Structure formats: structure tokens, C-alpha cells
Amino acid sequence: MAVAILLVGGFGTRLMPLTKNTPKPMLTVAGIPVTEHQIAMAKAAGITEIVLATSYLSEVFIPYFGDGSKWGMKIKYAVEKEPLGTGGGIRNAAQLLDSDQSVVILNGDVLSSHNLAEQIRQHESHDADVTLHLTQVEDARAFGCVPTDSNGRVTAFLEKMENPVTNQINAGCYVFNPRVITAIPLDTVVSVERETFPHLVASGAKVFGYVEKAYWLDIGTPRALLKASIDIVKRSGEFLAMPGAGIDPTAVITGGSCIGSNSSVGAGAVIDGSIIEAGCVIGPNAKISDSFVATGTEIKNNVKITSSFATNNEILPIP
Ligand code: GTP
């Protein structure tokens, strides 16, 4: 058995202005927050206890997830007054876990369908200090890469480079032995990626890679956020309407769009490849494509929006 910490405290600057009032992990993908997808993933791997490591807009999480019982989970909240980085956030959150079980860490902005239960199993059978999920990408130049030896041990954490030595990259899901977390200093800004992991490898600790190339996407950019939602919706149809969504029969909704709960779509509206969050009003004959319409936004009749973020205050092109 393992417990989990979800890192959800970042500023999400690349997704501004969507992250002005909503932390990145609470943005919806296929009708539910990214964090909710991750909770389902953790649950499927047998995890029942989770701490959300929050900081920026921490107050947004509790009203939605409560004590977790709705998901059959026990959810607690750690709050960093000032963001402590990924390592400091893990150390702070771990104080709410009084167990000696393996601790799964999920970056709050990654959707992955890899076999987490198998990652945990391998971690425990190696008695590893840390086991990182590594995925393989076509072009690793945009990422730091993580080479492993023939036994699966990580040999280095390499910065971005023109000629990467491997196409394996850190996929943002780790299993930690709790002793490694205790060694991170309290109330100190620490990055696991830049400090803890390289230090562990340099000091000969048992850092393993769990290599699995399953569906994986970092939703940290606007394009990726839309792609994630479209990918998931398209698994089961052309569009997804959440409970309470009211769609006029003459509206045309395509391309893996999602219509959030209690949103309405007027007559003749055309929506393609877009996320319409909860409680939006899309006026008759509006045309929305490749766009993200934030919770509670009203789009007037006949308005045309392409490749944009829309809130009630502004419509900005997606870079
Ligand atoms: P950008 O500002 O757009 O890069 O996004 P970000 O602030 O979320 O940073 P990044 O994508 O590097 O963060 C990866 C994950 O770690 C995200 O799920 C963040 O929410 C989380 N995270 C980043 N910094 C902190 C922190 O200081 N504390 C906590 N608790 N989580 C963090």
C-alpha cells in the first residue's frame, strides 16, 4: 500500500489569465479538474490517502474535494504560505502522513495512464529510494533527459541539450521511500528535479526509472490543456456534455469539445475542439473553435472566437 502527495501549489504562469482565479490543477479537462483525474488514477492503483500540497489559491481546493469521501478517499490539505518548490512542498505535506508506506508524488499538471501500481511494485521490490516514471518522447531536446543503466538505475539528470543521450524524460510521477522525504529540510525552498534527484544519484542512492510509454501529457500550456480534453472526450464520442448542460438541438458540437455542467448552448451555435467550463452561457449562433471558455463566462449571440481564452473580462488569443 502507498499514500500520495499531489503537488498543486504552482502559479501556472504559462496558463495566465486562466490561472488568475483558478489554480492550474483545478482547470477542467473533459469536464472535471485535472486533480480529479489524478485522484481517480491514484485510487485505481489502490491508494486511499492523499495530501494536496497547495500554496497559490489554496482555498479553491477544499470546497471541491472536501474530506475526499465522495471519491472514497481520505484527502488532507497542506498549505505553504510561500511556495516551497516541489521538494519543500513534498516535505511540508508529508508531515500530514504518519506512515512508513511508500509515498507517490504526482505533479498536479500531468495526465498519465501509465501503470502506477506496477511502478509502486517495482519500487518496493528494489527497496529503492526513489522510482521515477520515465516516458519516451520523439524529440527530447525540449526536455531534460534521464538515462538509466541496464538494471534500470538512473545514472544522471541531464539539462536540455541539442543532442540528448536518451529520449527518456522525467514524467512527473515519483515513488519515494519516506526516509528520503524526511531528509529534505523543513520550511526550505527545494526543487526535487534540480536538487534532490541529482544529489541522490551523485551520492549513490538507489534511484530507479520505471519506463513506460503510455498516454502522457503535461497540461502546462494552453495548447496542451485543450489537447488533453479533446483526447479524453474523443475516446467515447464527438463531444461530452456534463450533467445539467442544456444544448439546443440545432447547435453543432464537434471535435472532442466538452460542455461543462449547467452550461447552456443556444440555437445554431457551433463549437469545435473547445472546452466550455461549467455555468457558461453560449449565445445563439456563436462560433467557438480551439478555445477555452472559463467557468461562468457569457458569450453573446453571433460572437466568433477562434484559438482564444475567454473569460467575462477578456478574450485573448492562445499563443
Ligand atoms: P508555470 O508557472 O506555468 O511553469 O507552472 P507551475 O507554477 O505549475 O510550475 P511547474 O509546471 O514547474 O510545476 C509542476 C507541478 O508542481 C505543478 O503541479 C505545480 O502546481 C507544482 N508546484 C510547483 N511549484 C510548487 C510549490 O512551490 N509548491 C507546491 N506545493 N507545488 C508546486
Side-chain angles (χ1 to χ4, degrees), residues 60-80:
V60 175
F61 294 90
I62 300 177
Y64 191 91
F65 292 109
D67 64 1
S69 50
K70 191 171 154 195
W71 290 265
M73 305 287 269
K74 195 165 148 195
I75 298 181
K76 297 180 195 169
Y77 302 86
V79 183
E80 297 145 50

Side-chain angles (χ1 to χ4, degrees), residues 28-228:
T28 60
V29 157
I32 57 172
V34 178
T35 300
E36 195 171 346
H37 288 280
Q38 295 190 312
I39 288 173
M41 188 225 192
K43 189 174 180 188
I47 292 169
T48 57
E49 190 176 348
I50 289 184
V51 179
L52 298 191
T54 70
S55 183
Y56 176 65
L57 297 175
S58 59
E59 66 282 4
V60 175
F61 294 90
I62 300 177
Y64 191 91
F65 292 109
D67 64 1
S69 50
K70 191 171 154 195
W71 290 265
M73 305 287 269
K74 195 165 148 195
I75 298 181
K76 297 180 195 169
Y77 302 86
V79 183
E80 297 145 50
K81 284 200 189 71
E82 295 298 327
L84 292 171
T86 47
I90 293 168
R91 179 69 182 92
N92 185 56
Q95 295 179 99
L96 297 177
L97 296 168
D98 54 352
S99 78
D100 51 8
Q101 300 177 63
S102 302
V103 184
V104 171
I105 311 293
L106 297 173
N107 265 7
D109 53 0
V110 169
L111 288 174
S112 175
S113 54
H114 75 283
N115 187 342
L116 176 57
E118 176 60 14
Q119 183 184 351
I120 299 167
R121 195 196 64 72
Q122 289 192 12
H123 171 83
E124 293 177 350
S125 77
H126 289 136
D127 187 27
D129 289 300
V130 180
T131 303
L132 296 92
H133 173 213
L134 305 179
T135 190
Q136 292 160 324
V137 291
E138 294 287 308
D139 183 357
R141 281 177 303 178
F143 303 89
C145 65
V146 186
T148 44
D149 68 14
S150 55
N151 297 317
R153 285 215 23 191
V154 171
T155 53
F157 286 86
L158 302 172
E159 299 286 337
K160 288 178 199 172
M161 58 175 90
E162 258 316 297
N163 296 304
V165 296
T166 168
N167 65 346
Q168 290 176 177
I169 63 159
N170 174 359
C173 172
Y174 323 121
V175 190
F176 272 76
N177 184 304
R179 67 177 173 251
V180 178
I181 298 181
T182 318
I184 298 173
L186 262 175
D187 299 323
T188 309
V189 177
V190 177
S191 158
V192 280
E193 297 84 356
R194 288 192 300 277
E195 297 169 69
T196 312
F197 294 153
H199 171 76
L200 285 169
V201 168
S203 62
K206 287 207 265 180
V207 181
F208 279 85
Y210 169 73
V211 182
E212 186 184 336
K213 193 183 170 188
Y215 180 84
W216 180 86
L217 200 62
D218 171 347
I219 58 92
T221 65
R223 298 259 165 231
L225 183 69
L226 279 175
K227 178 172 165 30

